[in-house]
Amino acid sequence: MRVAVTGGKGGVGKSTVAYNLGAVTGAVVVDGDLGMADLPTGRGPDLHDVLAGRADPVEAVREAGPVELLPCGRTLAGARAADVRRLVDTIRAVERAYGDVVVDCPAGLAADAGMPLLAADRTVLVALPDAFALPDALRTRALARELDAGLARVVLNRTGTNPPTAAVERALGAPVTTVPESDALARATAAGRPVTATAPDSAAAESFRALASAITPPRRGARRTRRGR
Amino acid sequence: MVELDVQTQRRECVTFVAATVANEGTTARRVRLRTDLRPVWPPRRQGVPAAGWTDDGVTLTVPAAGRRGIGFATPADPGESVLAVASAEPATDESRERTPDGLVRALGDPTPPADAVPTGAPSSEEGRPGTASDVRNGTAETTVGRPPRAVTAWLDRLAERDAVTDRDRAGVAAVAARATALAADLEER
């Protein structure tokens, strides 16, 4: 499974969703935001190094933390040296070595946002319950569909009471998982840890478990027929 | 070589068919799926049936060691032969492959321009990583005075990613106005 976590606009919470989704599924999380990395990093080769041909993808995966992570560099020089076209092969290499991959995408619709969609086999689109984000979400969905990484789920992030779930499902044509505005999640994120580890009984943790279960493919089996109303 | 997994769901007198085609082989395959159900209501793009769909099925290319999903609807009751593989020839024509190069051509190169990268003043600055926020705050040590035009253009594009544009506002306002007009129209009737 190669999941692209995208969202069109910045600031919707893609990185938080990607990180926590990685925690629940055991996937390696790749910080694909080449110009504005914000997942936890440390010493050692990073995605900029990999995309510049200076390091092997597997060398750059950090296995020590609660979530296996391929972080990105934070320098402009690194971003300039990185060849975004190498990202597809990088993600494939991580998948071959580790299994599932979650890619945190940058905002916008330039090639650095498109490349993870080209590499992925499904997309999770993160949005805020905010009408202004809709045009961007539609453009992102169209690009994901074009690149064969269809929209598996919409995450409506930081919801309060009565989130517009039905309206968003209609507008984007995909089922919605809500992640509530949550102190537990904010604390976990500030500490650089997944909320399923710090507050496993919280509503936010439950949301991420539901999201993981919704986008993981069902077992292949015989034809099934369900009859509804 | 090619495996088909079909699910159907019957709701409100419509049968929804969802299928996955898996290609276990080492070459891409052009797969023709046929259905006996009539009429076929295929997915539509821009008002016309999506590429590959005909009255009796769909043709699609499945990459080597890959899978593709398709779906359609029909008013007919699901019977014995909802969907079956009619043929699965090796795909000869790999046109319309989405490639990294093609994506960069289509969507634009996101790389910061060369002038944006600090050349590094001697000793104390050397080796200290700059940060994106340093550049946004205008404290990058490239030149004295205004940054080069290529840099400001790149920074503007970055800022635009996060901003609600006037175009977004106008679009949403137009939808809201239309909805209000429709609601008022309904009220009158």
Side-chain angles (χ1 to χ4, degrees):
Chain A
M1 172 173 82
R2 301 181 303 278
V3 189
V5 178
T6 184
K9 287 283 186 217
V12 297
K14 286 185 294 305
S15 301
T16 303
V17 170
Y19 185 74
N20 282 277
L21 183 58
V24 178
T25 57
V28 172
V29 180
V30 176
D31 186 350
D33 199 335
L34 306 182
M36 226 174 295
D38 55 8
L39 287 174
T41 187
R43 290 160 155 238
D46 56 43
L47 186 60
H48 281 168
D49 295 311
V50 175
L51 298 181
R54 289 191 295 263
D56 196 75
V58 171
E59 289 179 302
V61 175
R62 314 293 165 82
E63 298 177 12
V67 177
E68 285 172 333
L69 198 54
L70 202 174
C72 196
R74 283 162 162 73
T75 67
L76 288 171
R80 172 118 188 115
D83 184 350
V84 69
R85 293 170 299 173
R86 288 189 156 117
L87 188 63
V88 178
D89 285 343
T90 298
I91 290 168
R92 294 277 186 165
V94 173
E95 185 192 30
R96 273 195 301 274
Y98 289 90
D100 297 333
V101 184
V102 172
V103 187
D104 180 21
C105 300
L109 283 173
D112 57 346
M115 213 62 70
L117 301 179
L118 180 61
D121 59 17
R122 74 206 68 187
T123 300
V124 166
L125 192 149
V126 183
L128 296 174
D130 172 349
F132 288 128
L134 183 59
D136 234 57
L138 289 173
R139 284 193 283 271
T140 303
R141 180 188 72 164
L143 182 61
R145 186 184 272 170
E146 177 72 33
L147 298 177
D148 265 342
L151 187 51
R153 204 83 181 170
V154 175
V155 171
L156 210 51
N157 201 15
R158 310 188 65 173
T159 56
T161 51
N162 285 329
T165 305
V168 173
E169 277 185 357
R170 268 200 309 277
L172 294 178
V176 170
T177 298
T178 54
V179 176
E181 184 77 77
S182 161
D183 283 343
L185 181 57
R187 279 195 298 274
T189 304
R193 303 199 60 216
V195 71
T196 43
T198 58
D201 296 328
S202 62
E206 186 48 47
S207 294
F208 288 119
R209 284 191 290 267
L211 174 65
S213 143
I215 66 168
T216 308
R219 271 175 301 119
R220 282 223 333 253
R223 181 183 141 194
R224 294 172 268 160
T225 301
R226 287 186 290 141
R227 291 192 178 258
R229 46 194 151 92
Chain B
M1 191 70 57
V2 169
E3 263 189 51
L4 181 64
D5 184 349
V6 183
Q7 297 173 45
T8 63
Q9 189 187 62
R10 182 100 180 140
R11 274 204 322 257
E12 317 242 330
C13 302
V14 177
T15 302
F16 296 88
V17 181
T20 314
V21 187
N23 177 6
E24 318 278 19
T26 50
T27 49
R29 295 252 160 203
R30 197 139 180 81
V31 178
R32 173 104 193 115
L33 299 176
R34 258 201 58 249
T35 176
D36 284 343
L37 303 177
R38 296 284 183 279
V40 168
W41 294 340
R44 303 175 87 81
R45 301 278 178 269
Q46 305 291 332
V48 296
W53 283 91
T54 57
D55 289 345
D56 64 349
V58 62
T59 304
L60 67 157
T61 302
V62 188
R67 329 149 52 104
R68 291 276 308 273
I70 58 103
F72 70 97
T74 175
D77 231 46
E80 283 303 291
S81 175
V82 173
L83 202 59
V85 176
S87 66
E89 305 301 327
T92 48
D93 178 21
E94 293 293 305
S95 61
R96 282 212 85 247
E97 267 261 345
R98 278 295 189 171
T99 61
D101 280 356
L103 214 51
V104 172
R105 275 193 294 269
L107 298 178
D109 184 0
T111 315
D115 288 335
V117 179
T119 51
S123 58
S124 59
E125 305 296 349
E126 196 156 351
R128 181 178 73 84
T131 64
S133 65
D134 279 349
V135 178
R136 271 185 293 183
N137 292 337
T139 57
E141 63 277 0
T142 42
T143 57
V144 179
R146 292 168 52 79
R149 206 145 60 91
V151 176
T152 50
W154 179 70
L155 290 173
D156 287 343
R157 277 201 301 278
L158 276 187
E160 239 175 71
R161 290 179 171 189
D162 287 355
V164 174
T165 65
D166 287 338
R167 200 169 142 219
D168 290 335
R169 283 198 188 87
V172 175
V175 171
R178 176 97 182 111
T180 310
L182 284 172
D185 192 37
L186 278 173
E187 287 272 341
E188 265 172 42
R189 295 195 190 177

